[in-house]
Amino acid sequence: MSKTISQIQQGLTKRDFSSVEITQDYLAAIKQHNPAINCYISITEDLALQQAKAADQRIASGEAQLLTGVPIAHKDVFCTDGVRTSCGSKMLDNFVAPYDATIIGNFNEAGSVMLGKTNMDEFAMGSSNENSYYGSVANPWDHERVPGGSSGGSAAAVAAGLAPAATGTDTGGSIRQPAALCGVTGIKPTYGRVSRYGMIAFGSSLDQGGPFARTAEDCAILLNTMAGFDPRDSTSIDQPVPDYSQGLGSDIKGLKIGLPKEYFAEGLEAGVASVIESAIDEYRRLGAEIVEISLPHTKYSIPVYYVVALAECSSNLSRFDGVRFGHRCSNPQDLEDLYKRSRGEGFGEEVKRRIMLGTYALSAGYYDAYYLKAQQVRRLIKQDFEQAFKQVDIIAAPTTPEIAFKLGDKTDDPVSMYLQDIYTISLNLAGLPGMSIPAGFSQGLPVGLQLVGNYFDEARLLNTAHQFQLSNDWHLQSPEVK
Ligand code: GLN
């Protein structure tokens, strides 16, 4: 089961199979392999078959859109009307959302079929998917290794052929990093391009939803459905959405690709570096001009992120108090006891660590020293990119410093876990779009190439990835699913 969306569309149009049939195939594969991979928290079988049936009727009546009848999995961070939306947390274990997130509504309108909700790090906090209340996810390439996080379930589902596509969110790397470690394609759009309405908030100034699929071509189709202005999200940007699929096709002769020297320094595994170098050589052969650039404030991105994101999460997660939202402890003695025990029982360790650090950074007397300072340095990081994009069209770099690491390897060392996002985090601080595409293997495990575009330049970004995928088949390699 490793079909692309384009192949499924063709099959549906030519009546090679119906949406019900392809949906049943995916559901059967999920039942067989999810117990070992654990990429789904909820499997919405009845709903999927109902949606598939409706899609088949729509196809028969000639009213199909591109995604009509195409199965998809959604990260459990997106509210889905009538379906449990857990966000990977005990806090929301029994939360059934009363409405759809905007992007879920978009997919429903297009007639796609929801297979289920994917596993994730609790409240999207993590780089390995080991922080989920529902257990960790196995990397389909090696079950003893992590799939990356926080959208680890979505990336693993696509890699294992348990969904042709999936949604994810990226606050500091959570689409690109798991895409890299699982060998699939993923894009985080420009901040404001995709609505955050109904997407449970982690760091509101950083969070952005985006798709996972096998190919850039599929990501273009998915982004066409996801992107656009939404009056219900005050940070959504009112700019026309180009047809991303139409943007694929032109060659990339003369495209200027910048390599930030700070991303090729100490800490980058030799096997990863050599795959990235070969990918850059391929771009050279395709006619791109490769230029060295500098992003001098890169070294501050992790500390800045861990002040900004944690401050924002401490505020966002205050709503889960056992009264308005979330798990409620049994037999509270008084209101304070109710708050303390509900939050104490509902949140996992990493989430608690972050709420405490974020609350500290925002407290009176420390705000200027931490949050304000971090926002100032954030501006410098953004300016680095603005300078760079005066010289180049696209920036290329590794997505991650290492291949997928072993489950449990970094759980006792949060700082080494945080360093996994060293190449992805600064884009979120700047609000820029970025992708990860499969570029080869090191020690038998996938390596991702990261491509960064200028603001709202997703069309060029997708085409740059597409041209690479036309010249090799790294993105079509699949693990043997056990
Ligand atoms: N790994 C980063 C973190 O733990 C980023 C997570 C994300 O993008 N949601 O915060």
Side-chain angles (χ1 to χ4, degrees):
M1 291 294 291
S2 56
K3 284 194 170 60
T4 64
I5 293 182
S6 306
Q7 288 164 342
I8 294 175
Q9 272 172 353
Q10 277 172 24
L12 290 170
T13 314
K14 290 204 253 149
R15 310 287 200 269
D16 290 344
F17 45 79
S18 67
S19 175
V20 168
E21 282 165 347
I22 186 96
T23 301
Q24 277 167 339
D25 287 351
Y26 276 105
L27 289 169
I30 293 168
K31 274 191 200 146
Q32 190 182 349
H33 298 294
N34 195 54
I37 299 177
N38 198 28
C39 52
Y40 282 91
I41 291 176
S42 305
I43 302 162
T44 49
E45 179 167 3
D46 293 346
L47 179 66
L49 291 170
Q50 207 180 307
Q51 288 179 331
K53 224 167 135 193
D56 281 333
Q57 282 164 5
R58 199 163 148 183
I59 294 167
S61 66
E63 282 159 25
Q65 293 181 14
L66 278 174
L67 286 174
T68 307
V70 176
I72 185 165
H74 292 300
K75 185 175 180 180
D76 212 14
V77 72
F78 291 105
C79 286
T80 39
D81 193 3
V83 175
R84 175 170 64 165
T85 301
S86 76
C87 218
S89 182
K90 179 178 178 189
M91 189 53 109
L92 292 176
D93 185 38
N94 62 4
F95 174 61
V96 175
Y99 68 99
D100 279 325
T102 295
I103 71 134
I104 301 291
N106 292 353
F107 279 110
N108 287 345
E109 249 171 63
S112 55
V113 173
M114 178 167 87
L115 295 168
K117 307 287 297 286
T118 58
N119 204 343
M120 57 180 284
D121 281 306
E122 185 176 4
F123 286 102
M125 298 174 190
S127 306
S128 67
N129 220 119
E130 291 164 296
N131 297 334
S132 170
Y133 174 60
Y134 302 91
S136 49
V137 174
N139 187 316
W141 291 90
D142 175 349
H143 288 195
E144 286 178 7
R145 291 178 189 261
V146 304
S150 65
S151 317
S154 291
V158 174
L162 303 186
T167 53
T169 56
D170 191 312
T171 305
S174 281
I175 290 177
R176 291 159 289 153
Q177 189 250 7
L181 302 193
C182 289
V184 300
T185 303
I187 177 166
K188 174 202 107 67
T190 308
Y191 182 77
R193 177 80 293 185
V194 166
S195 170
R196 293 187 298 110
Y197 179 77
M199 182 177 119
I200 296 172
F202 163 15
S204 307
S205 75
L206 304 152
D207 298 341
Q208 190 59 193
F212 288 92
R214 304 194 69 84
T215 65
E217 193 183 8
D218 283 359
C219 283
I221 297 171
L222 295 159
L223 200 56
N224 279 338
T225 298
M226 295 172 82
F229 175 61
D230 181 5
R232 289 176 298 185
D233 169 4
S234 62
T235 57
S236 163
I237 293 176
D238 193 0
Q239 270 206 22
V241 183
D243 184 330
Y244 297 115
S245 299
Q246 291 226 315
L248 306 177
S250 46
D251 68 38
I252 51 165
K253 288 205 177 67
L255 183 85
K256 281 204 176 134
I257 299 184
L259 304 183
K261 62 173 192 235
E262 293 80 3
Y263 286 50
F264 291 86
E266 206 194 331
L268 179 60
E269 249 177 29
V272 174
S274 105
V275 168
I276 300 302
E277 278 158 26
S278 310
I280 302 298
D281 282 342
E282 196 157 335
Y283 271 115
R284 246 188 223 108
R285 280 197 296 279
L286 292 170
E289 188 188 328
I290 310 293
V291 199
E292 188 184 271
I293 57 164
S294 173
L295 299 168
H297 294 94
T298 297
K299 58 178 178 291
Y300 301 117
S301 59
I302 296 257
V304 166
Y305 172 88
Y306 277 97
V307 173
V308 174
L310 274 46
E312 292 182 9
C313 91
S314 83
S315 167
N316 276 326
L317 270 56
S318 63
R319 75 193 62 179
F320 302 106
D321 57 4
V323 179
R324 286 170 303 167
F325 293 103
H327 165 83
R328 180 179 295 186
C329 67
S330 53
N331 304 322
Q333 303 304 303
D334 53 27
L335 188 62
E336 193 174 322
D337 184 44
L338 175 124
Y339 285 153
K340 279 187 180 160
R341 281 202 291 123
S342 298
R343 285 169 70 80
E345 291 165 13
F347 289 133
E349 250 180 61
E350 179 64 19
V351 174
K352 284 182 197 159
R353 172 158 45 233
R354 293 186 183 208
I355 292 174
M356 284 194 282
L357 287 166
T359 306
Y360 177 82
L362 285 179
S363 51
Y366 295 112
Y367 176 89
D368 288 2
Y370 294 105
Y371 191 69
L372 191 68
K373 181 58 78 187
Q375 291 288 28
Q376 288 164 339
V377 182
R378 180 179 188 176
R379 172 58 64 94
L380 298 175
I381 292 169
K382 184 169 185 271
Q383 284 171 351
D384 281 356
F385 282 105
E386 286 165 358
Q387 284 303 324
F389 279 116
K390 285 185 185 151
Q391 297 171 57
V392 298
D393 306 307
I394 291 283
I395 295 172
T399 309
T400 60
E402 300 171 21
I403 49 173
F405 47 91
K406 289 240 164 82
L407 285 155
D409 251 14
K410 297 189 196 291
T411 35
D412 293 336
D413 184 357
V415 174
S416 99
M417 188 74 93
Y418 296 170
L419 285 170
Q420 290 308 304
D421 299 304
I422 186 130
Y423 305 135
T424 50
I425 255 172
S426 51
L427 270 71
N428 300 73
L429 292 166
L432 288 162
M435 292 190 75
S436 182
I437 55 174
F441 292 84
S442 167
Q443 298 168 47
L445 291 163
V447 172
L449 171 73
Q450 183 174 213
L451 299 170
V452 186
N454 208 340
Y455 296 101
F456 296 99
D457 210 7
E458 284 84 0
R460 194 200 310 249
L461 191 55
L462 286 159
N463 186 46
T464 306
H466 179 60
Q467 296 305 317
F468 184 79
Q469 294 187 335
L470 286 178
S471 76
N472 63 58
D473 66 357
W474 298 121
H475 57 293
L476 299 178
Q477 313 273 332
S478 298
E480 192 191 319
V481 181
K482 291 178 274 241

PDB file of all heavy atoms in Angstrom, residues 279-307:
ATOM      1  N   ALA A 279      22.933  15.385  -2.749  1.00  0.00           N
ATOM      2  CA  ALA A 279      21.695  16.047  -3.188  1.00  0.00           C
ATOM      3  C   ALA A 279      22.014  17.419  -3.790  1.00  0.00           C
ATOM      4  O   ALA A 279      21.439  17.816  -4.808  1.00  0.00           O
ATOM      5  CB  ALA A 279      20.728  16.186  -2.011  1.00  0.00           C
ATOM      6  N   ILE A 280      22.944  18.116  -3.173  1.00  0.00           N
ATOM      7  CA  ILE A 280      23.329  19.437  -3.698  1.00  0.00           C
ATOM      8  C   ILE A 280      23.970  19.283  -5.079  1.00  0.00           C
ATOM      9  O   ILE A 280      23.710  20.065  -6.002  1.00  0.00           O
ATOM     10  CB  ILE A 280      24.322  20.143  -2.717  1.00  0.00           C
ATOM     11  CG1 ILE A 280      23.704  20.286  -1.327  1.00  0.00           C
ATOM     12  CG2 ILE A 280      24.775  21.497  -3.267  1.00  0.00           C
ATOM     13  CD1 ILE A 280      22.468  21.114  -1.222  1.00  0.00           C
ATOM     14  N   ASP A 281      24.797  18.228  -5.222  1.00  0.00           N
ATOM     15  CA  ASP A 281      25.397  17.956  -6.540  1.00  0.00           C
ATOM     16  C   ASP A 281      24.320  17.716  -7.583  1.00  0.00           C
ATOM     17  O   ASP A 281      24.442  18.143  -8.725  1.00  0.00           O
ATOM     18  CB  ASP A 281      26.298  16.714  -6.473  1.00  0.00           C
ATOM     19  CG  ASP A 281      27.635  17.036  -5.839  1.00  0.00           C
ATOM     20  OD1 ASP A 281      27.973  18.239  -5.781  1.00  0.00           O
ATOM     21  OD2 ASP A 281      28.314  16.100  -5.381  1.00  0.00           O
ATOM     22  N   GLU A 282      23.265  17.033  -7.177  1.00  0.00           N
ATOM     23  CA  GLU A 282      22.179  16.763  -8.121  1.00  0.00           C
ATOM     24  C   GLU A 282      21.518  18.082  -8.548  1.00  0.00           C
ATOM     25  O   GLU A 282      21.178  18.266  -9.713  1.00  0.00           O
ATOM     26  CB  GLU A 282      21.156  15.849  -7.449  1.00  0.00           C
ATOM     27  CG  GLU A 282      20.231  15.220  -8.441  1.00  0.00           C
ATOM     28  CD  GLU A 282      19.615  13.938  -7.911  1.00  0.00           C
ATOM     29  OE1 GLU A 282      20.212  13.288  -7.030  1.00  0.00           O
ATOM     30  OE2 GLU A 282      18.514  13.604  -8.377  1.00  0.00           O
ATOM     31  N   TYR A 283      21.330  18.971  -7.593  1.00  0.00           N
ATOM     32  CA  TYR A 283      20.762  20.287  -7.944  1.00  0.00           C
ATOM     33  C   TYR A 283      21.685  21.034  -8.916  1.00  0.00           C
ATOM     34  O   TYR A 283      21.220  21.720  -9.818  1.00  0.00           O
ATOM     35  CB  TYR A 283      20.489  21.120  -6.687  1.00  0.00           C
ATOM     36  CG  TYR A 283      19.091  20.860  -6.145  1.00  0.00           C
ATOM     37  CD1 TYR A 283      18.891  20.263  -4.911  1.00  0.00           C
ATOM     38  CD2 TYR A 283      17.969  21.209  -6.893  1.00  0.00           C
ATOM     39  CE1 TYR A 283      17.614  20.003  -4.433  1.00  0.00           C
ATOM     40  CE2 TYR A 283      16.686  20.959  -6.426  1.00  0.00           C
ATOM     41  CZ  TYR A 283      16.509  20.365  -5.204  1.00  0.00           C
ATOM     42  OH  TYR A 283      15.238  20.121  -4.752  1.00  0.00           O
ATOM     43  N   ARG A 284      22.997  20.881  -8.689  1.00  0.00           N
ATOM     44  CA  ARG A 284      23.946  21.509  -9.613  1.00  0.00           C
ATOM     45  C   ARG A 284      23.733  20.966 -11.019  1.00  0.00           C
ATOM     46  O   ARG A 284      23.655  21.715 -11.994  1.00  0.00           O
ATOM     47  CB  ARG A 284      25.375  21.184  -9.173  1.00  0.00           C
ATOM     48  CG  ARG A 284      26.120  22.391  -8.712  1.00  0.00           C
ATOM     49  CD  ARG A 284      27.586  22.144  -8.441  1.00  0.00           C
ATOM     50  NE  ARG A 284      27.911  22.829  -7.201  1.00  0.00           N
ATOM     51  CZ  ARG A 284      28.145  22.237  -6.054  1.00  0.00           C
ATOM     52  NH1 ARG A 284      28.139  20.920  -5.947  1.00  0.00           N
ATOM     53  NH2 ARG A 284      28.398  22.957  -4.976  1.00  0.00           N
ATOM     54  N   ARG A 285      23.596  19.644 -11.112  1.00  0.00           N
ATOM     55  CA  ARG A 285      23.374  19.008 -12.431  1.00  0.00           C
ATOM     56  C   ARG A 285      22.073  19.491 -13.067  1.00  0.00           C
ATOM     57  O   ARG A 285      21.949  19.591 -14.275  1.00  0.00           O
ATOM     58  CB  ARG A 285      23.322  17.483 -12.303  1.00  0.00           C
ATOM     59  CG  ARG A 285      24.689  16.829 -12.209  1.00  0.00           C
ATOM     60  CD  ARG A 285      24.595  15.336 -12.493  1.00  0.00           C
ATOM     61  NE  ARG A 285      23.798  14.621 -11.500  1.00  0.00           N
ATOM     62  CZ  ARG A 285      24.250  14.236 -10.306  1.00  0.00           C
ATOM     63  NH1 ARG A 285      25.497  14.501  -9.955  1.00  0.00           N
ATOM     64  NH2 ARG A 285      23.476  13.607  -9.452  1.00  0.00           N
ATOM     65  N   LEU A 286      21.072  19.786 -12.214  1.00  0.00           N
ATOM     66  CA  LEU A 286      19.783  20.256 -12.742  1.00  0.00           C
ATOM     67  C   LEU A 286      19.832  21.725 -13.164  1.00  0.00           C
ATOM     68  O   LEU A 286      18.845  22.282 -13.616  1.00  0.00           O
ATOM     69  CB  LEU A 286      18.677  20.051 -11.698  1.00  0.00           C
ATOM     70  CG  LEU A 286      18.307  18.594 -11.388  1.00  0.00           C
ATOM     71  CD1 LEU A 286      17.390  18.506 -10.174  1.00  0.00           C
ATOM     72  CD2 LEU A 286      17.640  17.938 -12.591  1.00  0.00           C
ATOM     73  N   GLY A 287      20.997  22.344 -12.959  1.00  0.00           N
ATOM     74  CA  GLY A 287      21.176  23.710 -13.457  1.00  0.00           C
ATOM     75  C   GLY A 287      21.104  24.792 -12.397  1.00  0.00           C
ATOM     76  O   GLY A 287      21.152  25.982 -12.722  1.00  0.00           O
ATOM     77  N   ALA A 288      20.980  24.393 -11.121  1.00  0.00           N
ATOM     78  CA  ALA A 288      20.916  25.417 -10.071  1.00  0.00           C
ATOM     79  C   ALA A 288      22.316  25.966  -9.801  1.00  0.00           C
ATOM     80  O   ALA A 288      23.315  25.284 -10.010  1.00  0.00           O
ATOM     81  CB  ALA A 288      20.335  24.818  -8.801  1.00  0.00           C
ATOM     82  N   GLU A 289      22.328  27.199  -9.342  1.00  0.00           N
ATOM     83  CA  GLU A 289      23.599  27.817  -8.969  1.00  0.00           C
ATOM     84  C   GLU A 289      23.708  27.745  -7.450  1.00  0.00           C
ATOM     85  O   GLU A 289      22.799  28.184  -6.746  1.00  0.00           O
ATOM     86  CB  GLU A 289      23.567  29.278  -9.450  1.00  0.00           C
ATOM     87  CG  GLU A 289      24.882  29.992  -9.317  1.00  0.00           C
ATOM     88  CD  GLU A 289      24.723  31.480  -9.632  1.00  0.00           C
ATOM     89  OE1 GLU A 289      23.866  31.826 -10.487  1.00  0.00           O
ATOM     90  OE2 GLU A 289      25.408  32.282  -9.005  1.00  0.00           O
ATOM     91  N   ILE A 290      24.785  27.177  -6.945  1.00  0.00           N
ATOM     92  CA  ILE A 290      24.909  26.966  -5.500  1.00  0.00           C
ATOM     93  C   ILE A 290      25.817  28.054  -4.907  1.00  0.00           C
ATOM     94  O   ILE A 290      26.932  28.275  -5.388  1.00  0.00           O
ATOM     95  CB  ILE A 290      25.491  25.561  -5.189  1.00  0.00           C
ATOM     96  CG1 ILE A 290      24.729  24.469  -5.961  1.00  0.00           C
ATOM     97  CG2 ILE A 290      25.510  25.306  -3.692  1.00  0.00           C
ATOM     98  CD1 ILE A 290      23.289  24.235  -5.553  1.00  0.00           C
ATOM     99  N   VAL A 291      25.323  28.722  -3.887  1.00  0.00           N
ATOM    100  CA  VAL A 291      26.062  29.835  -3.296  1.00  0.00           C
ATOM    101  C   VAL A 291      26.176  29.617  -1.784  1.00  0.00           C
ATOM    102  O   VAL A 291      25.191  29.208  -1.154  1.00  0.00           O
ATOM    103  CB  VAL A 291      25.255  31.156  -3.463  1.00  0.00           C
ATOM    104  CG1 VAL A 291      26.130  32.373  -3.306  1.00  0.00           C
ATOM    105  CG2 VAL A 291      24.476  31.210  -4.748  1.00  0.00           C
ATOM    106  N   GLU A 292      27.321  29.913  -1.221  1.00  0.00           N
ATOM    107  CA  GLU A 292      27.413  29.818   0.245  1.00  0.00           C
ATOM    108  C   GLU A 292      26.841  31.099   0.865  1.00  0.00           C
ATOM    109  O   GLU A 292      27.081  32.199   0.372  1.00  0.00           O
ATOM    110  CB  GLU A 292      28.863  29.642   0.698  1.00  0.00           C
ATOM    111  CG  GLU A 292      28.908  29.353   2.195  1.00  0.00           C
ATOM    112  CD  GLU A 292      30.309  29.262   2.776  1.00  0.00           C
ATOM    113  OE1 GLU A 292      30.864  28.157   2.772  1.00  0.00           O
ATOM    114  OE2 GLU A 292      30.806  30.303   3.254  1.00  0.00           O
ATOM    115  N   ILE A 293      26.029  30.924   1.906  1.00  0.00           N
ATOM    116  CA  ILE A 293      25.478  32.085   2.600  1.00  0.00           C
ATOM    117  C   ILE A 293      25.757  31.938   4.096  1.00  0.00           C
ATOM    118  O   ILE A 293      26.229  30.884   4.540  1.00  0.00           O
ATOM    119  CB  ILE A 293      23.952  32.233   2.375  1.00  0.00           C
ATOM    120  CG1 ILE A 293      23.221  30.952   2.812  1.00  0.00           C
ATOM    121  CG2 ILE A 293      23.622  32.586   0.938  1.00  0.00           C
ATOM    122  CD1 ILE A 293      21.738  31.140   2.991  1.00  0.00           C
ATOM    123  N   SER A 294      25.426  32.978   4.837  1.00  0.00           N
ATOM    124  CA  SER A 294      25.613  32.901   6.289  1.00  0.00           C
ATOM    125  C   SER A 294      24.331  33.338   6.994  1.00  0.00           C
ATOM    126  O   SER A 294      23.680  34.300   6.588  1.00  0.00           O
ATOM    127  CB  SER A 294      26.773  33.814   6.689  1.00  0.00           C
ATOM    128  OG  SER A 294      26.866  33.876   8.095  1.00  0.00           O
ATOM    129  N   LEU A 295      23.964  32.586   8.015  1.00  0.00           N
ATOM    130  CA  LEU A 295      22.846  32.967   8.889  1.00  0.00           C
ATOM    131  C   LEU A 295      23.452  33.070  10.292  1.00  0.00           C
ATOM    132  O   LEU A 295      23.393  32.133  11.093  1.00  0.00           O
ATOM    133  CB  LEU A 295      21.741  31.898   8.832  1.00  0.00           C
ATOM    134  CG  LEU A 295      21.109  31.650   7.452  1.00  0.00           C
ATOM    135  CD1 LEU A 295      20.255  30.381   7.454  1.00  0.00           C
ATOM    136  CD2 LEU A 295      20.240  32.845   7.027  1.00  0.00           C
ATOM    137  N   PRO A 296      24.092  34.200  10.571  1.00  0.00           N
ATOM    138  CA  PRO A 296      24.981  34.278  11.737  1.00  0.00           C
ATOM    139  C   PRO A 296      24.301  34.075  13.094  1.00  0.00           C
ATOM    140  O   PRO A 296      24.974  33.686  14.047  1.00  0.00           O
ATOM    141  CB  PRO A 296      25.599  35.677  11.633  1.00  0.00           C
ATOM    142  CG  PRO A 296      24.752  36.431  10.663  1.00  0.00           C
ATOM    143  CD  PRO A 296      24.117  35.423   9.758  1.00  0.00           C
ATOM    144  N   HIS A 297      22.997  34.320  13.186  1.00  0.00           N
ATOM    145  CA  HIS A 297      22.366  34.178  14.510  1.00  0.00           C
ATOM    146  C   HIS A 297      21.780  32.795  14.770  1.00  0.00           C
ATOM    147  O   HIS A 297      21.075  32.592  15.754  1.00  0.00           O
ATOM    148  CB  HIS A 297      21.294  35.256  14.695  1.00  0.00           C
ATOM    149  CG  HIS A 297      21.874  36.643  14.737  1.00  0.00           C
ATOM    150  ND1 HIS A 297      21.962  37.425  13.612  1.00  0.00           N
ATOM    151  CD2 HIS A 297      22.444  37.337  15.748  1.00  0.00           C
ATOM    152  CE1 HIS A 297      22.546  38.577  13.937  1.00  0.00           C
ATOM    153  NE2 HIS A 297      22.852  38.541  15.217  1.00  0.00           N
ATOM    154  N   THR A 298      22.104  31.849  13.870  1.00  0.00           N
ATOM    155  CA  THR A 298      21.581  30.484  14.007  1.00  0.00           C
ATOM    156  C   THR A 298      21.798  29.917  15.407  1.00  0.00           C
ATOM    157  O   THR A 298      20.927  29.241  15.956  1.00  0.00           O
ATOM    158  CB  THR A 298      22.266  29.562  12.966  1.00  0.00           C
ATOM    159  OG1 THR A 298      21.914  30.033  11.676  1.00  0.00           O
ATOM    160  CG2 THR A 298      21.837  28.110  13.113  1.00  0.00           C
ATOM    161  N   LYS A 299      22.948  30.203  15.990  1.00  0.00           N
ATOM    162  CA  LYS A 299      23.271  29.579  17.291  1.00  0.00           C
ATOM    163  C   LYS A 299      22.305  29.993  18.405  1.00  0.00           C
ATOM    164  O   LYS A 299      22.230  29.332  19.435  1.00  0.00           O
ATOM    165  CB  LYS A 299      24.718  29.856  17.690  1.00  0.00           C
ATOM    166  CG  LYS A 299      25.105  31.318  17.810  1.00  0.00           C
ATOM    167  CD  LYS A 299      26.561  31.409  18.272  1.00  0.00           C
ATOM    168  CE  LYS A 299      27.079  32.828  18.381  1.00  0.00           C
ATOM    169  NZ  LYS A 299      27.241  33.522  17.090  1.00  0.00           N
ATOM    170  N   TYR A 300      21.563  31.066  18.187  1.00  0.00           N
ATOM    171  CA  TYR A 300      20.618  31.482  19.238  1.00  0.00           C
ATOM    172  C   TYR A 300      19.218  30.881  19.053  1.00  0.00           C
ATOM    173  O   TYR A 300      18.337  31.100  19.882  1.00  0.00           O
ATOM    174  CB  TYR A 300      20.494  33.009  19.251  1.00  0.00           C
ATOM    175  CG  TYR A 300      21.809  33.710  19.503  1.00  0.00           C
ATOM    176  CD1 TYR A 300      22.368  34.554  18.546  1.00  0.00           C
ATOM    177  CD2 TYR A 300      22.498  33.515  20.702  1.00  0.00           C
ATOM    178  CE1 TYR A 300      23.583  35.185  18.767  1.00  0.00           C
ATOM    179  CE2 TYR A 300      23.715  34.137  20.925  1.00  0.00           C
ATOM    180  CZ  TYR A 300      24.250  34.965  19.950  1.00  0.00           C
ATOM    181  OH  TYR A 300      25.449  35.565  20.182  1.00  0.00           O
ATOM    182  N   SER A 301      19.029  30.157  17.955  1.00  0.00           N
ATOM    183  CA  SER A 301      17.642  29.763  17.658  1.00  0.00           C
ATOM    184  C   SER A 301      17.057  28.810  18.707  1.00  0.00           C
ATOM    185  O   SER A 301      15.894  28.956  19.084  1.00  0.00           O
ATOM    186  CB  SER A 301      17.513  29.210  16.237  1.00  0.00           C
ATOM    187  OG  SER A 301      18.334  28.097  16.078  1.00  0.00           O
ATOM    188  N   ILE A 302      17.841  27.844  19.173  1.00  0.00           N
ATOM    189  CA  ILE A 302      17.286  26.903  20.165  1.00  0.00           C
ATOM    190  C   ILE A 302      16.948  27.640  21.479  1.00  0.00           C
ATOM    191  O   ILE A 302      15.809  27.545  21.953  1.00  0.00           O
ATOM    192  CB  ILE A 302      18.243  25.706  20.404  1.00  0.00           C
ATOM    193  CG1 ILE A 302      18.388  24.903  19.112  1.00  0.00           C
ATOM    194  CG2 ILE A 302      17.808  24.852  21.596  1.00  0.00           C
ATOM    195  CD1 ILE A 302      17.644  23.621  18.995  1.00  0.00           C
ATOM    196  N   PRO A 303      17.897  28.401  22.060  1.00  0.00           N
ATOM    197  CA  PRO A 303      17.514  29.110  23.296  1.00  0.00           C
ATOM    198  C   PRO A 303      16.349  30.084  23.108  1.00  0.00           C
ATOM    199  O   PRO A 303      15.478  30.184  23.980  1.00  0.00           O
ATOM    200  CB  PRO A 303      18.792  29.846  23.721  1.00  0.00           C
ATOM    201  CG  PRO A 303      19.820  29.579  22.698  1.00  0.00           C
ATOM    202  CD  PRO A 303      19.345  28.500  21.798  1.00  0.00           C
ATOM    203  N   VAL A 304      16.306  30.771  21.974  1.00  0.00           N
ATOM    204  CA  VAL A 304      15.202  31.726  21.756  1.00  0.00           C
ATOM    205  C   VAL A 304      13.872  30.965  21.683  1.00  0.00           C
ATOM    206  O   VAL A 304      12.887  31.328  22.329  1.00  0.00           O
ATOM    207  CB  VAL A 304      15.427  32.550  20.463  1.00  0.00           C
ATOM    208  CG1 VAL A 304      14.154  33.286  20.054  1.00  0.00           C
ATOM    209  CG2 VAL A 304      16.553  33.544  20.667  1.00  0.00           C
ATOM    210  N   TYR A 305      13.879  29.883  20.904  1.00  0.00           N
ATOM    211  CA  TYR A 305      12.658  29.079  20.763  1.00  0.00           C
ATOM    212  C   TYR A 305      12.188  28.576  22.124  1.00  0.00           C
ATOM    213  O   TYR A 305      10.995  28.612  22.428  1.00  0.00           O
ATOM    214  CB  TYR A 305      12.937  27.900  19.828  1.00  0.00           C
ATOM    215  CG  TYR A 305      11.819  26.886  19.749  1.00  0.00           C
ATOM    216  CD1 TYR A 305      10.780  27.042  18.838  1.00  0.00           C
ATOM    217  CD2 TYR A 305      11.799  25.772  20.587  1.00  0.00           C
ATOM    218  CE1 TYR A 305       9.755  26.109  18.753  1.00  0.00           C
ATOM    219  CE2 TYR A 305      10.778  24.833  20.515  1.00  0.00           C
ATOM    220  CZ  TYR A 305       9.762  25.005  19.603  1.00  0.00           C
ATOM    221  OH  TYR A 305       8.749  24.083  19.532  1.00  0.00           O
ATOM    222  N   TYR A 306      13.117  28.087  22.942  1.00  0.00           N
ATOM    223  CA  TYR A 306      12.695  27.486  24.207  1.00  0.00           C
ATOM    224  C   TYR A 306      12.314  28.532  25.259  1.00  0.00           C
ATOM    225  O   TYR A 306      11.868  28.177  26.338  1.00  0.00           O
ATOM    226  CB  TYR A 306      13.725  26.457  24.708  1.00  0.00           C
ATOM    227  CG  TYR A 306      13.457  25.143  23.993  1.00  0.00           C
ATOM    228  CD1 TYR A 306      14.177  24.793  22.856  1.00  0.00           C
ATOM    229  CD2 TYR A 306      12.406  24.319  24.373  1.00  0.00           C
ATOM    230  CE1 TYR A 306      13.876  23.637  22.143  1.00  0.00           C
ATOM    231  CE2 TYR A 306      12.097  23.165  23.675  1.00  0.00           C
ATOM    232  CZ  TYR A 306      12.830  22.824  22.567  1.00  0.00           C
ATOM    233  OH  TYR A 306      12.513  21.689  21.867  1.00  0.00           O
ATOM    234  N   VAL A 307      12.469  29.801  24.953  1.00  0.00           N
ATOM    235  CA  VAL A 307      11.833  30.825  25.784  1.00  0.00           C
ATOM    236  C   VAL A 307      10.460  31.164  25.194  1.00  0.00           C
ATOM    237  O   VAL A 307       9.436  31.101  25.874  1.00  0.00           O
ATOM    238  CB  VAL A 307      12.719  32.087  25.903  1.00  0.00           C
ATOM    239  CG1 VAL A 307      11.949  33.195  26.625  1.00  0.00           C
ATOM    240  CG2 VAL A 307      14.012  31.772  26.640  1.00  0.00           C
TER     241      VAL A 307
END
